[in-house]
Amino acid sequence: MANQLDSKIVVALDYADEELALDFTRRVSPLLCKLKIGKELFTRAGPQLVRRLVDQGFDVFLDLKFHDIPATVAGAIAASADLGVWMVNVHCLGGSRMLEAARSSLDRHGGPTLLTGVTVLTSMQKEDLIELGIDQSPQDLVFRLASLAATSGLDGIVCSGQEAGAIKQHFGNAFLRITPGIRPASYGSSDDQRRILTPGEALAGGSSYLVVGRPVTGARDPAESLLAIKKEIGEDSDRD
């Protein structure tokens, strides 16, 4: 269940070590942000870290991008919901049968966990899709996969802020747009992201939640960097 203040910022815990991730969480309140746990940290620290953060009151986005046969994904989704996560995702390229199996699994579980679908990674451009035999622009493919996610009953998608506005207009505000590749104007590098926006640009363009990683977790003072982003988008900056 989302926090009462429902911060739009999801901090990606891009740490290779569990203790470094926990050190960050000790500096912030669950009211300041949500947290995203991806493949590396989950592989190193396991579900016990997810449970620990959920028990501390954090909304956790479990970003494992499940993509497998429908029965396997359905089981993984149920296991994720058992952890009490705020959100879990699948990869839309798994197709409608897989997406519908994930949706049915959550419905049977009956909890509040949200289900979103990954469309096109924000590190990918048209030439990357051509290499895979997909002769579409990233924007066109995102829209096609968003349609598949919506008809399969997902709560929203993960997409670039560059596509979020069109997705919002077509599918409505209730269909969530989770946007990675967020880089504050003061941050000097795009890292390995290509289709990037500032926090303000992404929210103004139609994003529902902003996933911010290295600009926060790689900063000299991660908590202060987070507070600066919250100030940029007009969120309450009270640490408590």
Side-chain angles (χ1 to χ4, degrees):
M1 187 68 68
N3 285 322
Q4 184 178 359
L5 298 182
D6 195 26
S7 174
K8 301 300 181 185
I9 300 176
V10 184
V11 175
L13 296 179
D14 295 328
Y15 294 107
D17 179 86
E18 177 181 4
E19 189 53 40
L20 291 175
L22 290 173
D23 181 64
F24 171 78
T25 64
R26 294 184 190 106
R27 304 185 192 188
V28 298
S29 152
L31 296 180
L32 272 181
C33 65
K34 304 176 191 302
L35 302 175
K36 182 176 81 70
I37 294 181
K39 290 182 174 67
E40 181 178 10
L41 185 57
F42 186 81
T43 301
R44 293 183 183 278
Q48 61 270 19
L49 175 60
V50 178
R51 291 193 187 96
R52 180 172 180 175
L53 296 177
V54 169
D55 289 345
Q56 290 175 4
F58 284 100
D59 288 339
V60 175
F61 172 21
L62 188 58
D63 177 28
L64 299 183
K65 303 179 181 69
F66 295 121
H67 185 180
D68 212 312
I69 64 173
T72 298
V73 169
I77 290 294
S80 301
D82 285 342
L83 295 174
V85 298
W86 164 65
M87 180 184 292
V88 65
N89 63 0
V90 294
H91 205 301
C92 291
L93 287 175
S96 60
R97 289 195 301 117
M98 188 201 79
L99 299 180
E100 290 166 5
R103 177 73 269 166
S104 295
S105 180
L106 269 186
D107 289 345
R108 288 192 299 271
H109 188 276
T113 300
L114 296 170
L115 177 64
T116 55
V118 174
T119 53
V120 179
L121 301 179
T122 52
S123 61
M124 300 188 79
Q125 293 183 316
K126 184 173 176 62
E127 58 265 28
D128 300 302
L129 298 180
I130 291 174
E131 183 180 48
L132 297 175
I134 301 173
D135 191 16
Q136 286 185 292
S137 69
Q139 291 77 15
D140 287 343
L141 184 56
V142 166
F143 198 87
R144 181 172 183 172
L145 294 175
S147 297
L148 185 64
T151 57
S152 300
L154 273 63
D155 296 301
I157 60 169
V158 180
C159 65
S160 163
Q162 296 174 6
E163 295 102 30
I167 298 298
K168 177 182 178 180
Q169 183 175 10
H170 187 84
F171 297 100
N173 193 48
F175 190 70
L176 301 176
R177 290 84 52 204
I178 315 301
T179 299
I182 299 298
R183 295 292 182 266
S186 59
Y187 188 70
S189 172
S190 64
D191 298 309
D192 56 0
Q193 303 281 8
R194 294 181 181 179
R195 291 157 35 239
I196 62 175
L197 291 174
T198 68
E201 289 171 341
L203 285 179
S207 298
S208 305
Y209 295 98
L210 312 178
V211 178
V212 186
R214 281 163 285 191
V216 171
T217 59
R220 181 183 58 83
D221 188 332
E224 287 299 327
S225 296
L226 171 60
L227 292 172
I229 295 173
K230 289 177 69 67
K231 182 177 181 180
E232 179 180 338
I233 64 174
E235 282 192 359
D236 184 2
S237 62
D238 186 357
R239 286 179 184 266
D240 303 321

